[in-house]
Each structure stands twice: as structure tokens, then as C-alpha cells.
Amino acid sequence: MAHHVTSHDIPANGEHLDPSKISKIKTIALAVMVIGGLISAYLLFFAPKSQQGSFAYSWVFALFYFFTLALGGCFWTLLHNVSNSGWGTSVRRVMENLGSVFPWLSIFAIPLLCPNVQHYLYEWMNTHRAVGGDIPVMTLVTEWLAGSWNWVLNGFRYLTTGETVPMASTMAERLHHTDHLMFNKHWFMNLPFWYFRSVMFFLTLGYAIYRLRKLSTVQDTDPNPGTVHLFKARRRAAAFLPILALTVTFAAFDWLKGMDYTWFSTMYGVYIFAGCAINSMAVIIITVYLLRKNGYLKHVVSQEHFHIMGKLLFAFTVFWAYVTFSQFFLIWYANITEETKYYLIRNTDGWNIASIALVILHFVLPFVVLLQQWLKKKPHLLSAVAIYMLLVHVLDLYLIVIPERGISLGNIDHKTFGDIAVTIPNAWLGDVLAFITIGSGFVFFFLRALGQHALYPHRDPRILESANLSN
């Protein structure tokens, strides 16, 4: 460190972002979000079916990309509080602000709740509606509740006797004769429970990040902050961590893996989580760098903080590679049709080039670059690597979502979409539109959060410890 930071270097009221510096960007982002949202609404609900089906996949791809960034912000906030991290105090408010975008993404998730959008994305829902169309909604809900409870009882019965009792319900009986695989998953993959989970993602984790951020910002004006807020935040973060784990896992299952309900992977939730951690840290690095470049955080953030954030970026890059390879290796080794189909699709035609490129671009190159200790202490170079990781994350999620488009649409409606195809010509235009629309909304809500409170918790008892970090 070039100097020792004392309490005299910390402004009594903290540092606040000058509204004039972000007002223009916020206005542009809001305008793009609104205009893009109107065009997207037309493409999702009023355009010809061929465009509706194609754009539905574009919307899921873009939504989940920014969903992972906000989820990662929640993760780093929770981890900071649970681990009682001292170094992270200086950048904690950036983590909290990134996580606070999460509840606002529910606006962009609304189309996923609409049946005409679900029709193109989730084939299992079409089957459920076909076999249960004449069953009253309350009957379906009651049967789901009974079925879920029976599943719990069956679990205990299986552990003690090795036997199970089939779930009895009108829907289950019909599915038993229609699709036996879906019949076995009916306790989890049914419409009432799916809607319940989709709403609870935002309500539970949104409440968690709201409470933690509120607890943090209240500390800024507390005349005698002490350690009361720190211990409260630690207890609440420990309670909220399981909610984060469930949200990451089941959102990935419901919104992504649910596009092909016959596919199996026990590592999918961890795989998605790894992407959340990497790329949210990339956003934090870029944000802190830009704030320091504009004269903020000079006294509380040093190259030592960038060094630690760079090490975390490196660690989760390796973790992502480990999980990704493990998932591929286990599926390849087992050689089960329902599992290998995921990789067969992504090893066909141009997708094969993209899959190979992902290995090199997402692991090999950043691994070699981030090994360099000196680079992690150069904020401008580390920020360049962070931008690169965000770009590669686009490719990662694109490979997860988009290859399903041509195959699923051709399978759902052959007359409208033609034969099952690996790709759909010109569909990438919708991908770009959806990405820009939701991305603009993400930028708007993130900048809005940054401008609401002090840029760092200046009354936190550990702020001087963090400002004088050495590692």
C-alpha cells in the first residue's frame, strides 16, 4: 500500500455517486428497455407463430444471462456476511447493489408465466395441458399437494421397506398411459408447483437481499453502529444461504433443463452456479474499477482488493472447468441415450465448433492469464479480463439454450416451423434484441441502486481494516 488509511480519510457521510454522471446513461438504458420491451411483447404475443416460437428462446437466453449476474451478486453478499470477511467491506455495497437487481428481473420473467410462450419452450407443459385440460384447477392443485406429500411418505417407505406406492390422481393416471417418464416426475413437474416455484424464486431471495441491503444501509446513519448490524447480517445471511442454493438449482432446472424434460444431469445446478459466481465477480471488478477511475473509492479500495477479486475470479474459473468436465465425463462414460442427447445436439454442425471454442475460451485462456499475479494487481488489465469473461459467458448460455430451439420447435409444430433443424436462419436477430432489451433494464436498475446510498459502508467497524488490506 502506498499510504496508511486513517479515519480522517473516510468522509463522515461516505461517498455518494454524482447523479449527473449517470443520469444520461440511466435515461438511455430506460428508453432502450421500454422500446425493446414493446417490440419484444409484439414478437412474443402478437407476431406470426414462427416468430413467436423463435423469440421465446431468445428471451429465455437473455433473461437467464442477466439472472445469473444478479444471482451472483446475492451470492457474494451472503458469502461476505457469513464468512465475516474483512477485505470485502470496501466493495460490499457494490455486491449488495448488484444483488438488489435480482427482484427487478421478475418483470422480464413474466412472459415465462404465459401459456402461449410456454407452448414453445416446455413440451412437458403441453402434455400436461392436453391430458388435464378438463380437470379443474383446484383439483390439480389438490392432487399436486397430495402427490408431493405421498412422495415424502414414499421416501421413508422406500428407506425402510424398499417398496413404494404409486401416486393416485386423475392427472397421474392419465400421464401413466401417455408418458411414463413424465408420470414418474409428476410430483415435481406439474404446472401448479412450477408456477409456485417461479414466484417463490423472486419473493424469497428478493426478500433476503432486500433485508441484507437494508441492514447495511441503515448502518450508514446509525450514530452508534458498533457490531450489532454485523452480527444480525451474519445470522440472516446464514439462514438465507439455503434459499440461494435452491433458487440457483431449481431455476436452472425449471427454465433451462425443463426445455428437454427427458435429459438428466445431477451436476447441472452446480454448473449454473459456477457461471453465476464467475461472472458476477466480473461485474463487481468492472464496477469498482470504473468507480475508482471516476474518483470514488480511492481511499478504501487498492490494488490489493483487485488482487483478491482476481484470485476469486481465477478460482471459480477452475471450478467451472471442473464441474463442466465432470458433467461431460459422467454422461460420456454412462452412455445413456437420455443423457448423451444433450451433447450430441451440441456436437452437430456449427455447434461443435462453438463447444470446442468454449473449452478454450472459457478455461484455457483465462486460466493461463489469471495465473499471473502481477496482472491481478493491475485494475485496468483485470477489468479487461472481466469483460472478456462476460463475453464468454454469452457463449456458454447460448450453447445451453439456443441449440434446443430448432429441434423443439420442429417437434412441436412441423407445419409452422418445418423439419427439425439444428439452427433457424436469421433467428440470431431476436437473440440480439432480447439481450439488448433485458441488458438495458439490468444496467438501469444497477445504476439506480448505485446512486441510492453511499458507495461503501463508511460506518462499518471493519472499514479501516479493509482499506489497509495487504495480502
Side-chain angles (χ1 to χ4, degrees):
M1 296 261 325
H3 64 284
H4 181 72
V5 178
T6 68
S7 58
H8 296 290
D9 299 314
I10 307 296
N13 296 318
E15 295 183 48
H16 295 263
L17 195 60
D18 184 357
S20 63
K21 291 188 175 182
I22 60 172
S23 59
K24 186 175 181 179
I25 301 176
K26 281 175 58 180
T27 302
I28 294 174
L30 180 61
V32 173
M33 179 185 72
V34 172
I35 295 172
L38 293 174
I39 298 173
S40 298
Y42 167 77
L43 292 174
L44 286 170
F45 300 106
F46 304 107
K49 288 185 177 181
S50 59
Q51 295 179 12
Q52 287 185 33
S54 177
F55 192 71
Y57 284 85
S58 303
W59 196 255
V60 171
F61 153 67
L63 171 62
F64 213 87
Y65 179 88
F66 294 101
F67 186 80
T68 58
L69 302 185
L71 268 178
C74 296
F75 164 69
W76 290 114
T77 302
L78 290 167
L79 183 64
H80 165 81
N81 286 289
V82 167
S83 62
N84 195 29
S85 164
W87 78 267
T89 304
S90 295
V91 297
R92 189 184 75 208
R93 192 60 51 80
V94 177
M95 299 175 183
E96 294 165 350
N97 290 331
L98 178 58
S100 71
V101 178
F102 176 78
W104 294 103
L105 291 179
S106 60
I107 298 172
F108 304 105
I110 291 174
L112 299 187
L113 305 179
C114 301
N116 59 327
V117 175
Q118 296 169 346
H119 172 75
Y120 302 108
L121 294 172
Y122 308 114
E123 296 174 50
W124 69 269
M125 291 187 178
N126 299 334
T127 303
H128 272 241
R129 289 191 170 100
V131 301
D134 58 340
I135 301 176
V137 174
M138 288 308 300
T139 301
L140 291 173
V141 174
T142 303
E143 290 182 351
W144 163 69
L145 291 172
S148 300
W149 176 244
N150 286 340
W151 179 82
V152 175
L153 294 178
N154 267 337
F156 287 107
R157 186 180 290 111
Y158 180 78
L159 291 174
T160 55
T161 66
E163 299 178 353
T164 60
V165 177
M167 181 176 63
S169 73
T170 307
M171 174 68 83
E173 183 64 26
R174 294 181 182 181
L175 286 174
H176 181 66
H177 297 289
T178 304
D179 189 324
H180 191 71
L181 179 59
M182 195 177 296
F183 164 72
N184 288 332
K185 296 184 176 184
H186 175 62
W187 69 272
F188 182 81
M189 298 188 73
N190 60 80
L191 290 170
F193 196 18
W194 187 92
Y195 276 106
F196 174 78
R197 291 194 301 270
S198 295
V199 172
M200 291 304 291
F201 293 155
F202 293 102
L203 287 181
T204 54
L205 190 57
Y207 172 78
I209 191 64
Y210 168 79
R211 293 303 304 169
L212 285 176
R213 185 168 180 255
K214 181 72 173 178
L215 197 60
S216 175
T217 55
V218 165
Q219 187 183 47
D220 293 348
T221 56
D222 191 333
N224 185 27
T227 59
V228 175
H229 300 283
L230 301 183
F231 288 119
K232 278 187 179 179
R234 191 187 308 176
R235 288 193 298 269
R236 291 180 181 178
F240 293 147
L241 264 176
I243 295 175
L244 173 77
L246 292 173
T247 300
V248 173
T249 302
F250 290 117
F253 283 5
D254 288 346
W255 295 351
L256 299 185
K257 197 150 74 77
M259 291 187 291
D260 182 2
Y261 73 94
T262 64
W263 183 55
F264 298 85
S265 173
T266 56
M267 305 190 71
Y268 196 70
V270 185
Y271 169 60
I272 296 298
F273 162 73
C276 292
I278 295 172
N279 296 282
S280 56
M281 179 52 67
V283 173
I284 293 167
I285 291 171
I286 295 167
T287 303
V288 173
Y289 169 70
L290 291 175
L291 287 172
R292 288 187 83 251
K293 189 176 180 181
N294 284 276
Y296 302 101
L297 309 180
K298 290 288 188 178
H299 292 295
V300 296
V301 175
S302 67
Q303 68 176 15
E304 300 294 331
H305 292 85
F306 284 97
H307 187 202
I308 288 184
M309 291 189 288
K311 287 192 286 188
L312 290 171
L313 191 67
F314 172 76
F316 276 95
T317 297
V318 176
F319 179 68
W320 177 91
Y322 165 74
V323 174
T324 305
F325 172 76
S326 298
Q327 177 177 262
F328 173 80
F329 179 77
L330 290 173
I331 290 175
W332 171 81
Y333 185 81
N335 197 27
I336 300 172
T337 304
E338 289 81 2
E339 296 179 353
T340 57
K341 61 187 293 189
Y342 178 87
Y343 289 104
L344 288 175
I345 294 170
R346 287 154 183 81
N347 282 318
T348 303
D349 293 345
W351 295 124
N352 185 42
I353 299 174
S355 297
I356 295 173
L358 184 66
V359 176
I360 299 172
L361 300 177
H362 204 303
F363 171 62
V364 177
L365 289 180
F367 177 83
V368 173
V369 171
L370 289 171
L371 270 178
Q372 315 305 314
Q373 180 179 1
W374 63 269
L375 184 143
K376 294 192 285 286
K377 291 190 175 185
K378 302 289 185 182
H380 63 290
L381 293 180
L382 184 61
S383 296
V385 176
I387 293 172
Y388 169 82
M389 295 305 298
L390 289 174
L391 293 175
V392 178
H393 188 47
V394 174
L395 176 62
D396 187 16
L397 279 176
Y398 203 78
L399 276 171
I400 291 174
V401 178
I402 302 303
E404 297 289 343
R405 177 162 54 193
I407 295 172
S408 295
L409 293 179
N411 187 44
I412 291 172
D413 192 343
H414 173 76
K415 292 182 180 180
T416 302
F417 300 100
D419 295 331
I420 293 176
V422 177
T423 57
I424 297 179
N426 300 320
W428 63 271
L429 295 172
D431 304 336
V432 174
L433 172 63
F435 192 86
I436 292 175
T437 299
I438 299 179
S440 298
F442 177 87
V443 170
F444 172 78
F445 290 117
F446 186 37
L447 291 178
R448 177 177 175 271
L450 284 172
Q452 288 178 328
H453 302 283
L455 293 173
Y456 57 88
H458 55 282
R459 296 183 64 80
D460 191 296
R462 298 171 301 177
I463 190 63
L464 291 180
E465 173 193 346
S466 183
N468 291 291
L469 173 68
S470 178
N471 69 93

